């Protein structure tokens, strides 16, 4: 084989490699574009789902706030009832104590006078 034949073979092999490289570059660019498109689609879907979850969270939080308000009203009502009963029982005990003191004073006066 002559030097000229060897050079031609090497150059033709390099040309084939270069063509294959260009072909792979094109395929890589196409895959890269597809990847970018898919990534953008996934990003949009993620944003949409995140927005929906955020809205659901806000709705549930508002619902919880409303329930807590109702619970607070209920607890306040129960507390008022309990405090009212405590006042009534305190008043009743005071009246019994005063009544007992008056009766005992009257009995002591009768005992003293007899």
């Amino acid at each position: 084989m002559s030097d000229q034949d060897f050079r031609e073979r090497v150059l033709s092999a390099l040309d084939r490699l270069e063509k294959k490289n260009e072909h792979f570059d094109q395929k890589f660019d196409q895959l890269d574009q597809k990847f970018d498109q898919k990534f953008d689609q996934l990003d949009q879907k993620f944003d949409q789902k995140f927005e929906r979850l955020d809205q659901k969270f806000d709705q549930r939080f508002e619902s919880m706030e409303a329930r807590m308000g109702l619970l607070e009203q209920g607890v306040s009502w129960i507390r008022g009832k309990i405090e009212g009963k405590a006042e009534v029982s305190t008043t009743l005990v005071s009246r019994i104590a005063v009544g007992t003191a008056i009766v005992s004073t009257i009995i002591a006066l009768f005992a003293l006078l007899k």
Side-chain angles (χ1 to χ4, degrees):
M1 172 182 302
S2 68
D3 284 342
Q4 185 64 26
D5 289 339
F6 180 73
R7 283 184 183 173
E8 287 177 13
R9 284 186 179 181
V10 168
L11 288 175
S12 67
L14 287 175
D15 283 339
R16 285 191 308 254
L17 285 173
E18 196 172 298
K19 287 179 184 177
K20 283 183 182 179
N21 189 24
E22 288 174 5
H23 177 71
F24 286 129
D25 284 345
Q26 289 174 355
K27 288 288 187 181
F28 180 76
D29 289 341
Q30 290 172 355
L31 288 174
D32 193 37
Q33 288 174 356
K34 286 181 182 179
F35 175 76
D36 287 342
Q37 290 172 353
K38 290 288 185 181
F39 185 76
D40 290 341
Q41 290 173 353
L42 288 173
D43 194 34
Q44 289 173 354
K45 285 182 182 179
F46 177 78
D47 289 342
Q48 291 170 353
K49 292 205 183 240
F50 183 77
E51 285 295 323
R52 277 190 274 165
L53 286 173
D54 195 34
Q55 289 173 355
K56 284 183 181 180
F57 178 76
D58 288 343
Q59 289 172 353
R60 288 192 180 171
F61 187 73
E62 288 172 4
S63 173
M64 290 290 285
E65 284 180 332
R67 288 180 185 173
M68 288 298 288
L70 292 174
L71 181 64
E72 185 178 344
Q73 288 176 347
V75 168
S76 297
W77 181 78
I78 292 170
R79 183 177 177 191
K81 288 290 186 180
I82 291 173
E83 287 176 354
K85 286 183 180 182
E87 287 178 14
V88 167
S89 66
T90 303
T91 304
L92 183 62
V93 168
S94 334
R95 287 183 182 173
I96 290 173
V98 170
T100 305
I102 291 172
V103 170
S104 61
T105 305
I106 291 173
I107 292 173
L109 284 174
F110 279 130
L112 187 65
L113 294 175
K114 280 191 175 184

